[in-house]
Amino acid sequence: MKTFHSLTQPLIQWRRTPEHLRAWLSFWVSNSSNSATDAIHHISTDGKTNSREATHRLSPPGLAAKGRKHKSRPPVMWLVAVVSLTSAMGNRFYNQPKLDVATEAPQTIRAPYSASVEDRKTTEEKRKAARTGAVPVLMFDHSLTQDIYQAIEQSLDRVEELRQMGGPFPFAETTILSDSTQRYLRHIKEEEWQSILVQVDRNNAVKPTEPKVELRDRTAEAPNLPLTQAVSELQSYRQLSSPQAFSALIESITLARQGYVMALRQLSELQHAESGYQYDASLLELSDQIWQETRRGITTASKRILTQGIPPGLPSNLLTEAVRLHLSSLISPEAVPVATQLLTNVLQPNLTEDKEETKRRAEQAAQAVTPVMVSIQQDEVIVYAKEQISQADFVLLDHFKLSRREINWQGLIGFGTLVSGGLVIFWLVERRVHPRLRRRDHILLWLLTLSTPLLVIFNVSYTDLPAIGLLVGSFYSPALGVTVVSLLTGLVTFGMKVSWEYLLAGSAAGLLGAWMAGRMRSREELAWLGAVVGITQGGVYLLLNLVPSAAVGAVWYTVLQEAGVSSLAGLSWTVVALGISPYLERLFDLVTPIRLAELSNPNRPLLKKLATEAPGTFQHTMFVASLAEAAARELHCNVELVRAGTLYHDIGKMHDPLGFIENQMGGPNKHDEINDPRTSAEIIKKHVSEGLVMARKHQLPQAIRDFIPEHQGTLLISYFYFQAKQKSEQEDGCPVDEEDFRYDGPVPQSRETGIVMLADACEAALRSLKDVTPETALSMIHKILKARWQDNQLVDSGITREELSTIAEVFVRVWQQCNHKRIAYPKAALNHQPSVKS
């Protein structure tokens, strides 16, 4: 009876969960009777200590993991995937002509009757070229033109102010001093001016009877022509005029020099303040008459040029030449260079694109393209034997139904082989980066993959690759998302007739979304990523059309619009992905970093209820979470999953909070009142089953629910077990079955749940430590972890023996951080009361 009881006990436990029963039955059917007999013979006759080992032997691989361990998928599923994907993406092979373009005609083919057939492909190519090659239509921007006029007037006014500051020019009669001499005297340095005055005085001291050879000799020695001319003209005026007139001339020269210096200083400051404009000092050298003429000429030329319009992108050298030609007929030749520079600095394009008119004319140009017709007479040769078939030949062959359209079985089988190779690549990547995909995950990936060829079949140009990249990257891993998008792009390109510009642009957006989605931790970040994905899709589309296009106007005025639409399409697909992701997460029981972050919010109803009804358990949970998170981060595990799973691992304690010592708050112990170890053990064990009920009621994902039973594994509730043994020995002496005091399990099936089990075991021990060294705490933690290891609680978790030392060190480090020392305040400081001023 004991042997029979130990054999049937596992079945009773598995029957509590229908999933276990179904999995066990499938395993029993699939295995031979010999292996089952061996497992039965392994059970010892005492039925005590070996019943758990027998249970482990009878359990099929992965049963306790509830499908979370990697299992080989049935071939039927992979076969369905290959057939469905080949059927959806290989439609080009269903009605494929054997006599296609660039193939060789097996024989000479003649037209059965006369016909004139439109070559739609060539016609559409020409219409597309007409659309992209349309010249953009420009229109005047009147507000911008007015701004340019105002800028020209402001620039002219500034020059006028500078000239007034510099004084009139010429500042003396040209019969006294020439224009060149007056310019020279204004801009020379003060030392040179004083030197000229000294020379004039010295020459004036020479007697009239003496020959004036000295001046010619000096000039010959230092041939400075402007200096010589200035000295000569001043000397001549001094001899011919009165001293008062000469002094007045010298005074006017001095004033002109001072004004010129001030004008130059103001000009320099103006150039620094307005970096966009360059004012030439030559503007100050023009005579007042020439300046007024130049100002009128600049105004007239600017009106003519702006009336004709300046298109965007006009080269600067062409604009400068146009300005020079206009000014040369209006102003003095000496003012043309400086006026050209002044006006060129202010002028800018005042023509903008009329997008609607450009689009309308582009469409008119496309519609104006005459359909390309291919004509032939009856019995005329379409193509000769062994001759390569051209596009025109194929149009006629297809019209006369001579192209031999049929299912290309060879191509279809080859494409199916290619699809199988793609699935093999996906399987290899899956095993490497995400080896725990369930059947429902494969179904979701299969459905997402099928959506792209279906959209192509319905002639939707903008594929859903951005949405697929975002969903797969956020649901599973960036590597898996990149793999799916890359394989899907290659297969669709090979198997379907699709515009490669649209496909590659969507593929680039999908790759970016897949690579970045796994790093997002909120839906707001995903929304920003969606905007970047849309911009990427539009930018790649623009680049693909920019490179082969020969018409610059087509790129910036026609293709740019299509690129904008492509960006909106990419953004729309990301919006679709964001909208359906919560439903897919629930339907396929997925846990993403975003969903885990949402579940970890302490304001969730279930966590708020835990904090209110079982505050001690809540504090215990928070400390366990601190330990487990630190260890998970150290071992490179899923930290978000560990955090969320830890927060919910003890929610079942809310069914009877006072049954657990952390919630008794120093009150009477409920188990002392019960005084029945078996009943107490059932209360303790019930927090697992009740926790699973609560988790299902609040629709927690399976990955979170797994933490509830697995953090206890099949541990022995030792306190009540030994209490029951002691009570049994004192009363009737009946043996106590250890299995009655163990949790139902399963043991941890992942590194994450194993870490939480160890953190949960060490939490109470670390809290109880007071005034001990870290070495003592580490020794105690090692003993607890060693006990779990020897009890085979970590056998399926994937945690190695070496990693236990790392976990122990992390736990002690976190304990030290939470129990740091504080400065003890003296009693005088605690009893100090502020004095009250009267």
Side-chain angles (χ1 to χ4, degrees), residues 326-570:
H326 277 282
L327 291 175
S328 60
S329 61
L330 298 172
I331 63 177
S332 175
E334 64 177 305
V336 169
V338 65
T340 301
Q341 181 183 7
L342 176 65
L343 187 54
T344 305
N345 287 336
V346 182
L347 288 177
Q348 57 179 305
N350 65 331
L351 297 178
T352 57
E353 179 202 2
D354 188 346
K355 295 183 179 181
E356 293 298 327
E357 185 65 19
T358 301
K359 184 177 181 181
R360 187 181 67 82
R361 292 195 181 184
E363 193 59 34
Q364 284 181 349
Q367 296 302 323
V369 173
T370 305
V372 178
M373 305 300 294
V374 183
S375 301
I376 195 169
Q377 300 297 321
Q378 185 176 0
D379 293 331
E380 186 178 346
V381 175
I382 300 176
V383 61
Y384 289 97
K386 305 300 181 180
E387 190 178 63
Q388 195 174 57
I389 298 173
S390 64
Q391 174 64 23
D393 298 336
F394 174 75
V395 170
L396 293 173
L397 291 174
D398 208 36
H399 174 73
F400 294 127
K401 301 187 185 306
L402 299 175
S403 59
R404 302 181 185 178
R405 288 187 177 272
E406 60 184 19
I407 297 178
N408 185 356
W409 289 106
Q410 183 178 359
L412 194 61
I413 293 174
F415 183 69
T417 305
L418 191 63
V419 171
S420 302
L423 290 178
V424 170
I425 294 175
F426 170 81
W427 177 72
L428 292 175
V429 176
E430 175 196 338
R431 284 182 62 90
R432 183 174 182 84
V433 302
H434 206 300
R436 294 177 180 173
L437 290 186
R438 305 156 299 174
R439 181 170 300 175
R440 65 181 68 184
D441 297 320
H442 285 143
I443 292 174
L444 175 59
L445 290 170
W446 172 63
L447 293 175
L448 291 174
T449 305
L450 274 180
S451 63
T452 299
L454 291 178
L455 289 173
V456 176
I457 291 174
F458 288 108
N459 295 321
V460 178
S461 300
Y462 303 101
T463 60
D464 60 342
L465 291 175
I468 293 177
L470 277 176
L471 292 173
V472 178
S474 61
F475 287 168
Y476 303 109
S477 71
L480 213 56
V482 169
T483 302
V484 171
V485 173
S486 302
L487 291 176
L488 195 54
T489 301
L491 292 174
V492 169
T493 303
F494 185 81
M496 309 186 76
K497 293 182 179 180
V498 62
S499 175
W500 63 275
E501 298 100 334
Y502 294 111
L503 184 63
L504 290 182
S507 176
L511 291 173
L512 176 65
W515 187 253
M516 298 298 297
R519 305 178 184 181
M520 303 296 103
R521 291 299 180 267
S522 68
R523 302 201 188 275
E524 182 181 0
E525 292 180 353
L526 272 181
W528 281 108
L529 176 60
V532 175
V533 165
I535 294 173
T536 301
Q537 180 165 332
V540 172
Y541 179 85
L542 180 62
L543 183 63
L544 293 174
N545 285 274
L546 175 66
V547 173
S549 178
V552 177
V555 173
W556 295 112
Y557 298 105
T558 302
V559 179
L560 188 61
Q561 297 178 2
E562 297 182 6
V565 175
S566 181
S567 293
L568 291 177

Side-chain angles (χ1 to χ4, degrees), residues 727-744:
K727 187 175 181 181
S728 175
E729 291 173 358
Q730 294 175 355
E731 294 179 356
D732 52 6
C734 293
V736 178
D737 190 355
E738 182 180 309
E739 291 301 320
D740 294 338
F741 290 87
R742 284 189 177 272
Y743 287 98
D744 296 334

Side-chain angles (χ1 to χ4, degrees), residues 60 650 768:
D650 268 347
S768 64

Side-chain angles (χ1 to χ4, degrees), residues 170-221:
F171 52 82
E173 296 291 337
T174 55
T175 56
I176 300 174
L177 295 175
S178 63
D179 285 345
S180 59
T181 298
Q182 293 188 44
R183 291 192 183 95
Y184 174 72
L185 293 176
R186 279 211 309 177
H187 66 70
I188 61 175
K189 296 181 179 180
E190 184 64 23
E191 295 81 3
E192 296 181 28
W193 168 239
Q194 294 300 326
S195 175
I196 290 174
L197 292 178
V198 170
Q199 291 187 43
V200 170
D201 292 339
R202 184 181 300 147
N203 291 337
N204 188 55
V206 178
K207 295 180 180 181
T209 58
E210 295 179 2
K212 297 181 181 180
V213 182
E214 185 180 359
L215 181 60
R216 295 193 191 95
D217 292 342
R218 284 201 189 101
T219 304
E221 292 173 2

